[in-house]
Amino acid sequence: MEQLVLKRREFTLLQAFIYQHIGISLGDHKIYLVQARLAKRVKQLGLESFGEYYDHLVADTKGVELEYLSSLISTNVTSFFREQKQWEFLKAHLPSILERTGGKLRIWSAACSTGEEPYSLAMFLAEHIPNVTQCDIKILATDVSSKVLKIAMKGIYSQKACMSLKEGYLRKYFSPIMVENEVCYRINDMLKKQIIFREFNLVTGQYSLFAQKEFDIIFCRNVMIYFDKPTQNALIERFHTMLTKEGYLFIGSSEALTDMKKEFKSKSASIYQKG
Ligand SMILES: C[S@@+](CC[C@H](N)C(=O)[O-])C[C@H]1O[C@@H](n2cnc3c(N)ncnc32)[C@H](O)[C@@H]1O
């Protein structure tokens, strides 16, 4: 099959579209990466060039193609209890957080991918709060991609995905289920009920839907790395208004708050507290 070549002019159009609609800022050197990631999709749609693909994206007012595009451009890699140090920090600070909030916890897993992050939060709270059923816990889990959200909402994971879970967690928080002749694990309904899954684009989403000072904890990990500085700063500013006083923001270990640091106290690597 003939190889599709992404022309510089087409790349410039896609670059601007991706930045405007997903918030991901692609440098000029990413032309070959974009060509490699999108070529299969362009052919699958029966289109003959990236220019035609761009027209298809612009004409798609329902955002179906935008979905595909975002899953091809960014990665959905995630795992249970990713960034172990952050969980240790949370464990040490959980009693003081609960004391401050009076047992009510509102948590946002922003860019939750296939759900391992919000389910880790639910398992973590079940494990470390002695009277967890008496607490009022709600976890909002959002992502731009409805494809990953569908997987998250099912809450069924392969044995490989469950390998990072601590001893005993599978037995306590999952039930085995056969999926296409493979043993998989389904998260228990009790934990699932604490989580609300929603589609939300962190860059173009309607933040007016959220109340100010709504969350005690925000996890926004391993997504800001795709955004440029102004987009990152705007997002951090949003998070600041959405956190309760002394609320915590957890970001990915390869990310950092630079310009907004004065608004947040740095507590540990990639963990910030609203002053
Ligand atoms: C690498 S995963 C991170 C998952 C999880 N937070 C973690 O750290 O394991 C990045 C996720 O960000 C999502 N994403 C990319 N751009 C986004 C945007 N503009 N708004 C919301 N989510 C976005 C992707 O769909 C993907 O699921």
Side-chain angles (χ1 to χ4, degrees):
M1 202 185 272
E2 208 181 308
Q3 203 204 340
L4 274 180
V5 176
L6 175 57
K7 299 190 185 82
R8 183 60 62 181
R9 180 176 39 84
E10 296 167 329
F11 177 63
T12 308
L13 291 171
L14 288 169
Q15 226 178 355
F17 187 91
I18 289 166
Y19 183 63
Q20 192 185 343
H21 295 275
I22 312 172
I24 295 178
S25 160
L26 295 164
D28 290 343
H29 61 289
K30 293 278 169 73
I31 185 165
Y32 301 110
L33 178 124
V34 172
Q35 176 180 297
R37 296 231 175 132
L38 300 189
K40 195 169 155 207
R41 178 67 184 154
V42 176
K43 285 181 189 164
Q44 203 177 48
L45 289 166
L47 303 173
E48 291 189 352
S49 69
F50 287 96
E52 282 187 18
Y53 182 64
Y54 174 77
D55 294 340
H56 175 70
L57 272 169
V58 173
D60 164 47
T61 48
K62 292 208 171 112
V64 178
E65 196 51 40
L66 180 62
E67 277 270 344
Y68 262 99
L69 181 68
S70 62
S71 61
L72 292 172
I73 293 298
S74 70
T75 154
N76 301 123
V77 172
T78 184
S79 56
F80 289 112
F81 292 98
R82 194 175 187 183
E83 321 252 8
Q84 208 208 325
K85 287 222 164 75
Q86 297 192 332
W87 297 99
E88 282 163 19
F89 176 94
L90 202 52
K91 186 176 167 188
H93 291 79
L94 194 58
S96 64
I97 297 174
L98 286 167
E99 199 180 297
R100 189 176 68 242
T101 64
K104 180 179 166 204
L105 272 186
R106 295 293 177 263
I107 305 178
W108 183 15
S109 164
C112 67
S113 189
T114 42
E116 284 87 335
E117 185 175 278
Y119 289 130
S120 297
L121 279 160
M123 282 186 269
F124 173 86
L125 298 174
E127 197 69 22
H128 298 293
I129 304 180
N131 53 348
V132 69
T133 51
Q134 284 155 40
C135 291
D136 172 11
I137 297 169
K138 283 205 175 74
I139 301 167
L140 172 69
T142 62
D143 201 282
V144 70
S145 158
S146 65
K147 200 167 141 201
V148 291
L149 281 173
K150 266 187 209 135
I151 298 170
M153 279 189 265
K154 274 196 186 144
I156 297 174
Y157 297 94
S158 67
Q159 279 181 316
K160 194 171 162 220
C162 294
M163 262 159 55
S164 56
L165 288 170
K166 273 192 194 155
E167 175 97 38
Y169 275 42
L170 262 189
R171 194 174 17 87
K172 264 199 223 166
Y173 302 120
F174 293 81
S175 324
I177 178 174
M178 288 304 283
V179 180
E180 292 167 6
N181 289 330
E182 194 196 327
V183 181
C184 291
Y185 296 93
R186 187 178 177 280
I187 193 99
N188 291 352
D189 284 342
M190 197 246 317
L191 296 186
K192 218 177 191 185
K193 267 194 239 150
Q194 293 174 352
I195 307 173
I196 301 166
F197 290 100
R198 289 275 181 281
E199 209 174 306
F200 188 76
N201 185 326
L202 290 167
V203 179
T204 59
Q206 283 245 317
Y207 282 86
S208 54
L209 297 173
F210 292 94
Q212 288 204 353
K213 304 193 182 126
E214 193 169 354
F215 298 104
D216 304 297
I217 298 169
I218 297 177
F219 269 51
C220 182
R221 307 187 306 168
N222 305 302
V223 60
M224 279 196 289
I225 198 155
Y226 298 110
F227 304 154
D228 66 0
K229 266 273 159 274
T231 310
Q232 288 181 2
N233 288 344
L235 192 56
I236 303 268
E237 222 164 291
R238 301 256 193 215
F239 290 155
H240 191 267
T241 62
M242 291 158 79
L243 277 170
T244 50
K245 191 168 178 283
E246 296 178 51
Y248 288 100
L249 172 64
F250 291 75
I251 64 175
S253 58
S254 49
E255 299 161 327
L257 301 198
T258 44
D259 303 350
M260 282 288 289
K261 252 197 183 134
K262 56 186 183 307
E263 313 279 347
F264 284 98
K265 284 182 265 175
S266 172
K267 300 302 286 181
S268 180
S270 318
I271 304 172
Y272 297 88
Q273 186 176 31
K274 178 169 167 170

